[in-house]
Amino acid sequence: MSSPSSALTPPRLTRERVVAATALALAASLVVQNAVLVAVGAPAYGDPIEKVLAFHAEHRAAVAFAVGLEALNLPLLLGFVTGLHGLVQRRGGAGADWSRLAVAAGATLAAVFALYAVLWNGVVLSAGELSEPTPEFELVWQLHAAAFALALPALGATFAGAALAARASGLTPPWQHLLGVVGGVLLLAAGLGSLAIADGSALLFVGMPGYAAWIGWLLATGLRLARGPRVRA
């Protein structure tokens, strides 16, 4: 006959492994998405609009694949932050306020990224019909850039909240907490220049180390949870 503690262990491990799988899948999707765009030489927001038009006309399939991955990223993001909140609550509630912040910020981030993807679709569709840039095409591209800039502070709040919650509940080691705080601050700082980023400013690159840290944190957290973190007494 199994003991009460052994009977409770499999469901707990199952929940942790589901959250782990979600974190790893989200990280993998983000890596693939960015690798595809780097491989085809995607233009920066500060590049001439003629280059933007030419790129989207020539690489429609690659951009369609990258945009399509957002349909996977959004449910993975929401599943991860809500799953993490559930783990935090089941481990005594330490860090629950931070996990609530991560859930709220994650929902906001999902909404902004949905707008970002829709506008990017508009850029791709317009590029196939134009021989030269129009003011309308440039406006949609700038709105696409503005949506990405607005997503940075939402991602920063999601990242910091999730990292603080995971550390407070004993799910992750101290170095991951530090990574989350530093990465979140960088993303929030970049978001303050959203207007400049929409106009092509290099301020965007202030947030890129934070974005890379987010992917690294997801990988590390997913692997940690897959192994089964120690249960608090």
Side-chain angles (χ1 to χ4, degrees), residues 75-150:
L76 287 174
L77 169 67
L78 295 174
F80 172 69
V81 293
T82 54
L84 179 64
H85 179 61
L87 291 181
V88 168
Q89 287 187 313
R90 291 183 180 95
R91 292 171 65 88
D97 288 340
W98 289 116
S99 65
R100 291 189 189 97
L101 170 64
V103 171
T108 302
L109 177 62
V112 175
F113 264 132
L115 176 61
Y116 160 87
V118 168
L119 290 168
W120 207 357
N121 279 329
V123 171
V124 176
L125 293 174
S126 298
E129 301 175 354
L130 298 174
S131 57
E132 60 182 27
T134 64
E136 293 78 11
F137 177 82
E138 185 171 8
L139 176 61
V140 175
W141 177 245
Q142 287 179 323
L143 289 173
H144 166 72
F148 186 78
L150 184 61

